[in-house]
Amino acid sequence: MAASVQGGRTGNLPAEANAFVGRRTELATIAGLLGAERLVTLTGPGGVGKSRLALRAAYAAQSGFPGGTWLVELSALRDPDLLVNAMAQATRLSEQTLRPLLEAVGEHLAGAPLLLLLDTCEHVLDECARVVQELLASVPELRVMATSRQPLGMPGEHLLTVAPLPLGERDDAVALFAARATAAVPSFALTEANRRHVAAVCARLDGIPLALELAAVRLRGFPLDRLLEALDSRFDLLVSPARPRLARHQTLRTAIGWSHELCTPLERLLWARLSVFAGGWDVEAAEFVCHGGPLDAEEILALLASLTEKSIVTREDDGAAVRYRMLDTVRSFGAEWLTGLGEEEALRHRHRDYYRWIARQGEAEWLGPGQRMWAERLSAEHANLRLAIEECLAAPDSEPALELTGSLWYFWFACGFTEEGRAYLERALSRATRDGGPEHTLAVWAHRLVTVVPEDLEAAESVSAAYVWLAEERRLPVPALPLTGASLAVRGESARSAVLYGSAGRAPVGDGGAEFFQLLTLAVQAYLLAGQAAFERCATVGERLRQDCAKRGELWMRAWGDFFVSLAGIGLGNADEAVSTAREALAAKWRVHDRLGAAAVADLLVAAQAARGEDELAARLLGISRSLWHTAGLPQLGSPDTTVFHREYERRLRAALGDARFATAVREGRELDPGAALALALGGMSEGLDL
């Protein structure tokens, strides 16, 4: 979908975790700046409330941005080169594009006024400045709001320094502390009798919101007067005389350090070890990475609950999985303690090895009933996977990076991250110290696989040989692999691809990649048969693909079997059956987050509904299809001239409806939000899908 109509709402802003307090003057200033300026940067130290203020301002501004208000969280991003990928992901643009990704993002964001919120830019400052400058130049409707500990430093940037909250007894600092104290201790109430003590606590903490929130939680164990005494007697645990800090930073670190001091030794140890995660973690990850020494894996869940109670850790429950995260300032504090404990390197390696294991587990189980779970799990762990890959790439031995980036072939190829995967694979391969080993062959194979969609045909032509090497290393049967033919087929060069296409061969056993290529062989065969109008044979091959996938409980490739069975049904005059099967394909593609596949199936539904005589519905579906292709950043599979039925049915719909009705129906389809679009396309089958 276009950026202006994503998700049934205008943008991707998360729900606010608790009530927003104060900052009326700042909010009014930001509203004025966003109305007049194109780049607004909120600056200030960590913990002063930049992110929360920006999020509240973005919420307040939503009505003025019909193109959406989009949050891009950058705190977990370690590689500046992935900044544009993060923007594409946040704004729901597939990476599967033949053009430079920044160009595709710019086109994706164009069309209506919209606001891009870049949160936590200071560690990727130069790349942020470069990308923002290019986007502002290419997208006139775009406004950008950034949060950073220092300015982006580019022309046209308007700065707002976020100060601590005012400290008077009737001011925002007291109001925030009281609100958070009441949430932590429901019996607490701000009264005239205790207001002076609350104001003194706020003054001791300089009105820094994060410090106030951490201190408010301490009321669970301290009366208010004791809380004030404790703050007065504490000092910044990590400040070195040789490295003096700004007073505001010292105050914040004093508050965090005091929370740290009030934790048990095991809670402190877990806090330090959790700092190696990026973006969040689940219980299994914490147990694997953080256990050891005095900390047993069986204790970690209870300790996580305790750290959550103390507001060190935030618990997130989306109904399907429970994950945890820490604020960056809190994480940084833990990371310094981890370094002080001498455990930093060991924990980074354990984190790396856990995500290597996760990648291998996902590969082994991808072609099975857990496919949707793995697509969602790896999407949630994306920041940690990136961190693990960077750790592998920094190691003197090249094999871990080759193995990890190669093992993730299914994530790169099927879940919409081909460009990112290709870049990581190229970095891993460039460091390889020897050719021919299993890890090197795996990475070569994965790299060639992700070139089936991009234009690098010469690279794609070596995938068969690369896979033969891999199969020989693993002592697997070697089927004939049609990857060169597939690369040609998706460009519409059916004649050349038919010549290069080989027989399906026997399905190898025991390796996810080998099974995948066996299934891909059938998919390419069905594609070529459809291009030759051999619909009965196409249906037979498509049905075999469906059955082979059904035996494994597999969704992603089975949906391509549904696609070809439906396509053959149109060719054979079975339009009702074609609609039903295409809807099954679309639902499956949506479940595993394959937006490119969903766009291809939407095209098929246009043809199927038109074949049934549902001309106006077909025209609306054509609008949905165009929007999906725009999001994917690709033309239709093959050139538009060779896409089966596409040109014929557009011509037929124009003739049946007339130019005006046709244009209106297409526009209505294109402007639907994804939930409504999917419901229309699936005809009631969308219940239970995560929209």
Side-chain angles (χ1 to χ4, degrees), residues 118-159:
L118 305 180
D119 188 28
T120 315
C121 299
E122 57 268 7
H123 60 302
V124 285
L125 205 64
D126 292 342
E127 185 68 2
C128 275
R130 183 188 72 81
V131 169
V132 167
Q133 188 164 11
E134 290 197 30
L135 284 176
L136 289 175
S138 63
V139 186
E141 308 91 346
L142 177 64
R143 295 284 191 276
V144 176
M145 178 163 51
T147 72
S148 177
R149 298 189 186 188
Q150 64 186 98
L152 301 188
M154 52 180 289
E157 181 181 24
H158 290 260
L159 301 177

Side-chain angles (χ1 to χ4, degrees), residues 149 174 215 224 232 293 311 320 344 354 451 517 521 583 596 606-607 619:
R149 298 189 186 188
V174 169
L224 184 58
D232 284 337
S311 296
E344 182 183 10
Y354 175 74
T451 65
F517 277 114
T521 299
R583 284 173 170 170
L596 176 62
V606 173

